[in-house]
């Protein structure tokens, strides 16, 4: 990956951190989330070395303030910004760019005992959030309707939602549902 691509990816992760911060604080703070050191690489390296990784440092975005812990305790957040994404390969069941992104998000989330939340962007296009239907229900408080989703990929059991639609959710209500998930996980 070239230096420009790495810089573009880092800028996108910072921008998504700011948007997520504004979302969870109802527009009050821009600094609740930040890029994870080495895009989660420290946590991954610790796990590969047989040490317990810090699951708060998984993924591309981590919480640096208590207001964001509910989101990062439930999800591993991955961010991908590419010039062009090969959607045709994904739609026809081949791996393609999105397939690789989603597999990485799922693998990282599984390793941290969390759910994947993948934010993807293509040049001159709106950001999309990839999530499973149970994640959609957890955030939105209801089952997805066909017009909620931009694209459904049944072979990957994932739907794509415009980021701005996710950011319209009242996070205080989503936080209650996330607390319920945390309590259920603690009892298991």
């Amino acid at each position: 990956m070239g230096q420009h691509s790495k810089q573009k990816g880092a800028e996108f992760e910072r921008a998504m951190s700011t948007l997520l911060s504004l979302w969870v604080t109802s527009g009050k703070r821009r600094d609740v989330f930040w890029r994870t050191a080495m895009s989660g690489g420290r946590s991954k390296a610790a796990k590969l070395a047989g040490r317990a990784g810090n699951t708060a440092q998984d993924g591309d975005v981590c919480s640096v303030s208590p207001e964001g812990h509910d989101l990062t305790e439930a999800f591993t957040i991955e961010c991908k910004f590419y010039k062009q994404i090969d959607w045709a390969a994904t739609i026809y069941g081949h791996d393609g760019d999105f397939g690789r992104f989603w597999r990485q998000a799922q693998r990282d989330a599984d390793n941290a005992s969390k759910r994947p939340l993948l934010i993807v962007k293509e040049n001159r296009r709106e950001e999309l959030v990839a999530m499973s239907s149970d994640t959609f229900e957890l955030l939105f408080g209801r089952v997805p309707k066909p017009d909620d989703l931009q694209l459904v990929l049944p072979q990957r059991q994932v739907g794509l939602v415009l980021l701005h639609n996710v950011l319209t959710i009242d996070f205080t209500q989503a936080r209650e549902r996330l607390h319920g998930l945390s309590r259920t996980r603690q009892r298991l």
Side-chain angles (χ1 to χ4, degrees):
M1 182 185 292
Q3 186 62 32
H4 177 70
S5 295
K6 286 183 182 183
Q7 182 180 2
K8 181 175 159 180
E11 288 171 7
F12 182 61
E13 290 168 1
R14 284 190 289 275
M16 293 303 97
S17 296
T18 300
L19 282 175
L20 292 171
S21 295
L22 290 166
W23 177 45
V24 303
T25 64
S26 301
K28 293 180 183 99
R29 293 191 51 197
R30 304 172 61 84
D31 61 349
V32 171
F33 299 102
W34 197 245
R35 282 186 72 225
T36 304
M38 299 169 32
S39 289
R42 289 179 64 199
S43 176
K44 194 177 296 183
K47 288 177 188 166
L48 289 174
R51 298 186 311 272
N54 180 354
T55 60
Q57 292 287 312
D58 286 311
D60 292 333
V61 174
C62 66
S63 172
V64 294
S65 183
E67 294 94 330
H69 292 342
D70 291 326
L71 194 66
T72 56
E73 286 174 3
F75 301 104
T76 297
I77 304 168
E78 292 290 331
C79 301
K80 299 294 181 188
F81 184 177
Y82 271 52
K83 179 179 180 180
Q84 187 172 359
I85 297 172
D86 183 5
W87 291 107
T90 301
I91 291 167
Y92 290 112
H94 305 292
D95 205 23
D97 299 324
F98 179 80
R100 286 193 322 277
F101 303 158
W102 185 246
R103 269 200 334 275
Q104 176 193 347
Q106 284 183 307
R107 185 176 51 247
D108 290 352
D110 287 347
N111 288 339
S113 299
K114 299 180 185 181
R115 295 167 187 250
L117 201 62
L118 172 63
I119 304 172
V120 294
K121 179 165 176 50
E122 195 173 9
N123 280 356
R124 293 177 293 285
R125 303 271 188 233
E126 289 186 67
E127 298 89 353
L128 294 166
V129 181
M131 63 181 77
S132 63
S133 60
D134 62 330
T135 295
F136 183 98
E137 192 169 353
L138 186 62
L139 288 175
F140 284 84
R142 61 180 172 79
V143 175
K145 295 180 275 189
D147 60 338
D148 289 323
L149 305 172
Q150 297 301 304
L151 180 64
V152 178
L153 303 166
Q155 73 273 27
R156 299 201 188 284
Q157 299 178 335
V158 65
L160 292 156
V161 180
L162 289 169
L163 177 62
H164 75 259
N165 289 344
V166 173
L167 299 178
T168 63
I169 301 167
D170 178 358
F171 190 75
T172 56
Q173 293 175 358
R175 178 176 278 126
E176 291 302 315
R177 291 186 290 274
L178 292 173
H179 276 297
L181 177 68
S182 295
R183 287 190 294 274
T184 302
R185 205 179 303 139
Q186 288 171 356
R187 285 193 298 262
L188 297 177

